[in-house]
Amino acid sequence: MGWTFKLHGGVAAGLGAMLLLLATLTWLPGALPLTGVRWLAAAILVSLFLTFESALVRLILTGADKHAIWLAFRCLPGKVQMTLGALALWGVVLLVFSMATEGNLQSAEVRDGRYVAFDTTPHARGTVEISQSRYQDVLESDQRTVLAIPGVLFLGAAYAVLATGELRRADGAAPTSRMSSPL
């Protein structure tokens, strides 16, 4: 596997692990200092777009089917497989627990000194006033989702890039058949 595949996959896996760690930290008491940072979401979105799209382009250029990609991933070292699998499982569990405990409130904000959130309950959609503690809970839940989903997508990009690199390596190592000339 070429060094660009290793670097691309390592960066994607590292960013995914970092985002999942930050999403997990939202369950600790108190608010994360990143709650009011608006540029963080933009930075995550831009880096995710660049990393994920380039991984998809690399994957499409191989022309391999899903089964070949899975087999290529299975040829990676066991520690790499285990790490990516554990991180992906962590991300999925994090998202499932986050969505199960989230409730029906989203997009908490302060308007005119009051805490409000958008209620997504069927037949009762709209903005409702909430307490300050509930406001903090909704903020953390929103932040957890905003961090966990890109984290899982970064891990998907790492999977795609590392499997593609392994496919490229295997294609380069495959023996080529030479036609012998009759002379």
Side-chain angles (χ1 to χ4, degrees), residues 164-179:
T164 301
E166 190 61 26
L167 281 171
R168 293 277 236 194
R169 186 200 59 77
D171 286 346
T176 58
S177 62
R178 297 180 186 226
M179 297 190 59

Side-chain angles (χ1 to χ4, degrees), residues 32-103:
L32 279 179
L34 304 173
T35 304
V37 180
R38 298 277 182 210
W39 61 266
L40 181 64
I44 290 171
L45 186 63
V46 168
S47 61
L48 178 64
F49 178 76
L50 294 173
T51 305
F52 199 78
E53 290 302 314
S54 59
L56 285 179
V57 167
R58 283 182 156 188
L59 191 61
I60 290 169
L61 289 177
T62 63
D65 63 348
K66 290 186 284 187
H67 183 67
I69 295 166
W70 175 249
L71 290 177
F73 178 74
R74 297 282 304 170
C75 290
L76 290 171
K79 289 181 181 179
V80 174
Q81 291 178 36
M82 183 72 86
T83 301
L84 279 178
L87 286 172
L89 181 64
W90 177 25
V92 169
V93 167
L94 187 67
L95 282 171
V96 167
F97 279 127
S98 176
M99 291 184 182
T101 61
E102 183 175 278

Side-chain angles (χ1 to χ4, degrees), residues 116-139:
V116 296
F118 186 74
D119 189 2
T120 60
T121 305
H123 308 295
R125 297 178 68 94
T127 304
V128 295
E129 189 171 345
I130 56 175
S131 66
Q132 183 180 8
S133 63
R134 187 71 178 134
Y135 168 78
Q136 289 296 331
D137 292 341
V138 173
L139 271 183

